[in-house]
């Protein structure tokens, strides 16, 4: 064929081909197509003749860094009716289809020519080392200055814990007192943000240099007082100072936070699941605190956090962002979360402070999810 002459490849008799229909807000995130004996990818565009770059749906090609990971878009190809595009597949052939912005259909036929000498690239296995950050000392005054007093009430925390134990998740609205919430929002809007990737795994912004109030909130969630509060809200032994008698057997176990992050989410942001990064994680408690979410937020805009497991095809849980709301999620070793791609329906950015804590359960009766074999209740 003509492509064989250009590439000097020798295709075999295997050709994959399928029709694709992209509607408004549809997209295809960054990937390489590198699988088995795929050698050359091709696309025949059947879009309307009026299609333009303003319509979206461009084929975006990425630059790779020295590790072979995608960094930035270096070329965008706008579909044209009855045009044919192709490229050689490799472990660096990173590309995406940008969001379709127009209320029209992006039709195409695409596929791959295969060759026996095509490179078969296996995913690199990455072993993660988990570092636990021990909780820092603090007094209750700092906690009381930030957290709504209703969640420090024994009866309220008992009710929250009951809900959490039944569903393995709970969302707490109006979590911060109004003064602290207003101050936090004001400083988040002027904080310096940096993009984080690589694009085949995630694309959002993180806070590199927190301002005073933001830093104070981050420090708060690292304290033992906050860990004790979370223990009372969930029933999980997150601190050696949690006074639940069921947790005595855990007094000599390591406690601490596995990770924390302050992030900014806007149109085009997302995070993906990567098998190499989610293997062998322990049971854990996720916290997500959202702020500055549009009151008219539409779940169809994306930006929600979805939890799945290896054993279920459907999501176990979906958490939409809500302003001044703390969401607590217990995740077992085979359950993982990601943030859905945010499309152009999202009118303004929002923020999320997130953290993960090692979460152990003393016995099956104390399991917050109430599920030892199934995740159906989540």
């Amino acid at each position: 064929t003509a492509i064989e002459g250009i590439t000097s490849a020798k295709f075999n008799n295997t050709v994959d081909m399928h029709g694709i229909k992209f509607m408004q807000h549809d997209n295809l995130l960054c990937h390489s197509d590198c699988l088995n004996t795929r050698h050359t990818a091709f696309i025949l565009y059947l879009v309307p003749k009026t299609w333009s770059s303003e319509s979206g749906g461009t084929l975006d090609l990425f630059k790779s860094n020295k590790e072979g990971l995608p960094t930035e878009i270096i070329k965008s190809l706008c579909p044209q009716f009855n045009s044919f595009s192709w490229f050689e597949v490799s472990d660096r052939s990173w590309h995406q289809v940008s969001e379709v912005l127009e209320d029209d259909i992006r039709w195409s036929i695409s596929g791959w020519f295969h060759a026996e000498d095509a490179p078969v690239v296996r995913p690199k296995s990455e072993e993660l080392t988990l570092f636990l950050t021990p909780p820092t000392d603090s007094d209750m005054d700092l906690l009381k200055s930030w957290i709504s007093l209703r969640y420090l009430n024994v009866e309220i925390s008992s009710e929250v814990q009951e809900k959490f134990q039944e569903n393995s998740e709970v969302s707490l609205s109006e979590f911060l007192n109004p003064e602290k919430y207003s101050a936090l929002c004001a400083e988040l809007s002027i904080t310096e943000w940096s993009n984080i990737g690589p694009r085949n795994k995630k694309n959002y912004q993180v806070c590199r240099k927190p301002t005073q109030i933001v830093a104070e909130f981050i420090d708060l969630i690292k304290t033992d007082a906050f860990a004790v509060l979370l223990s009372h809200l969930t029933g999980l032994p997150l601190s050696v100072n949690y006074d639940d008698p069921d947790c005595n057997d855990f007094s000599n176990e390591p406690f601490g936070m596995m990770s924390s992050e302050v992030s900014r989410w806007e149109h085009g942001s997302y995070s993906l699941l990567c098998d190499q990064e989610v293997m062998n994680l322990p049971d854990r408690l996720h916290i997500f605190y959202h702020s500055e979410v549009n009151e008219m937020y539409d779940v169809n805009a994306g930006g929600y956090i979805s939890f799945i497991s290896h054993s279920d095809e459907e999501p176990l849980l979906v958490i939409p962002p809500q302003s001044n709301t703390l969401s607590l999620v217990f995740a077992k070793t085979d359950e993982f979360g990601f943030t859905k791609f945010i499309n152009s329906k999202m009118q303004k950015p929002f923020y999320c402070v997130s953290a993960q804590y090692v979460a152990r359960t003393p016995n099956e009766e104390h399991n917050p999810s109430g599920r030892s074999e199934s995740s159906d209740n989540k």
Side-chain angles (χ1 to χ4, degrees):
T1 66
I3 296 179
E4 283 180 306
I6 296 173
T7 63
S8 300
K10 184 62 177 177
F11 297 152
N12 59 27
N13 293 326
T14 301
V15 179
D16 296 329
M17 189 181 304
H18 53 276
I20 303 180
K21 176 185 179 182
F22 280 86
M23 302 181 70
Q24 189 175 30
H25 303 304
D26 287 343
N27 70 301
L28 187 60
L29 296 178
C30 181
H31 61 290
S32 69
D33 276 1
C34 191
L35 180 67
N36 298 328
T37 58
R38 292 175 178 175
H39 185 280
T40 300
F42 63 87
I43 312 102
L44 173 63
Y45 293 111
L46 301 173
V47 296
K49 294 182 178 180
T50 56
W51 201 273
S52 68
S53 57
E54 287 72 27
S55 306
T58 56
L59 175 64
D60 298 332
L61 307 179
F62 286 86
K63 179 181 179 180
S64 298
N65 61 19
K66 61 182 180 180
E67 286 81 26
L69 298 173
T71 56
E72 58 184 316
I73 296 171
I74 57 172
K75 192 176 185 64
S76 292
L77 304 176
C78 181
Q80 296 181 356
F81 177 74
N82 199 26
S83 64
F84 185 84
S85 299
W86 60 271
F87 57 86
E88 290 190 53
V89 172
S90 74
D91 60 345
R92 292 173 176 256
S93 57
W94 300 107
H95 60 285
Q96 69 176 17
V97 177
S98 68
E99 179 188 354
V100 174
L101 302 174
E102 194 168 285
D103 188 13
D104 210 334
I105 299 177
R106 180 191 186 274
W107 295 101
S108 66
I109 297 174
S110 64
W112 302 270
F113 296 111
H114 290 250
E116 297 304 330
D117 60 349
V120 180
V121 178
R122 306 296 182 191
K124 294 180 180 179
S125 179
E126 301 176 11
E127 269 195 45
L128 294 182
T129 302
L130 297 179
F131 296 97
L132 294 181
T133 303
T136 58
D137 293 333
S138 66
D139 54 39
M140 285 296 294
D141 290 338
L142 177 63
L143 193 72
K144 291 178 180 178
S145 70
W146 274 89
I147 309 302
S148 172
L149 293 181
R150 68 188 302 264
Y151 294 115
L152 304 180
N153 179 282
V154 175
E155 292 184 3
I156 297 295
S157 63
S158 296
E159 292 175 4
V160 171
Q161 183 181 133
E162 184 177 348
K163 292 180 181 179
F164 181 85
Q165 298 252 337
E166 180 180 354
N167 302 311
S168 77
E169 60 88 16
V170 69
S171 290
L172 310 177
S173 60
E174 305 301 325
F175 185 69
L176 299 185
N177 70 54
E179 294 78 13
K180 287 293 188 182
Y181 177 66
S182 296
L184 182 65
C185 290
E187 291 207 2
L188 285 171
S189 65
I190 60 173
T191 297
E192 293 183 19
W193 302 93
S194 300
N195 292 325
I196 189 172
R199 296 285 289 271
N200 62 315
K201 296 180 181 180
K202 50 195 169 185
N203 180 42
Y204 56 92
Q205 295 178 315
V206 294
C207 173
R208 300 296 189 189
K209 296 180 180 179
T211 54
Q212 180 180 351
I213 293 295
V214 176
E216 186 178 319
F217 185 47
I218 297 171
D219 290 341
L220 171 67
I221 68 175
K222 295 179 179 179
T223 63
D224 186 67
F226 194 77
V228 172
L229 172 63
L230 293 178
S231 294
H232 282 290
L233 294 172
T234 64
L236 294 170
L238 304 175
S239 167
V240 292
N241 294 316
Y242 180 41
D243 56 3
D244 190 317
D246 290 334
C247 300
N248 290 340
D249 293 340
F250 286 76
S251 58
N252 295 321
E253 294 281 355
F255 292 87
M257 182 188 296
M258 293 189 290
S259 64
S260 62
E261 187 177 66
V262 182
S263 52
R264 182 179 185 271
W265 300 80
E266 61 183 354
H267 177 209
S269 299
Y270 59 86
S271 67
L272 301 174
L273 285 181
C274 300
D275 290 340
Q276 292 76 38
E277 294 188 350
V278 297
M279 296 172 61
N280 303 318
L281 287 178
D283 290 356
R284 58 212 180 277
L285 176 71
H286 289 266
I287 74 165
F288 304 99
Y289 176 78
H290 288 99
S291 62
E292 292 283 85
V293 182
N294 193 323
E295 292 182 0
M296 302 301 292
Y297 168 76
D298 179 358
V299 70
N300 293 315
Y304 56 82
I305 300 167
S306 182
F307 274 82
I308 65 173
S309 77
H310 290 311
S311 57
D312 291 273
E313 294 183 1
E314 297 297 321
L316 303 172
L317 172 68
V318 170
I319 304 173
Q322 301 176 70
S323 287
N324 199 11
T325 297
L326 182 77
S327 297
L328 307 175
V329 181
F330 175 78
K332 302 180 77 174
T333 56
D334 65 339
E335 299 170 356
F336 313 101
F338 65 93
T339 301
K340 180 69 174 179
F341 173 85
I342 298 176
N343 62 40
S344 57
K345 287 185 176 182
M346 187 68 71
Q347 298 299 312
K348 69 170 190 174
F350 63 85
Y351 306 92
C352 181
V353 178
S354 60
Q356 297 181 61
Y357 301 80
V358 169
R360 297 176 177 83
T361 53
N363 48 54
E364 287 189 6
E365 289 74 18
H366 200 69
N367 188 336
S369 68
R371 59 179 195 277
S372 56
E373 300 294 336
S374 171
S375 303
D376 293 342
N377 293 329
K378 200 167 196 177

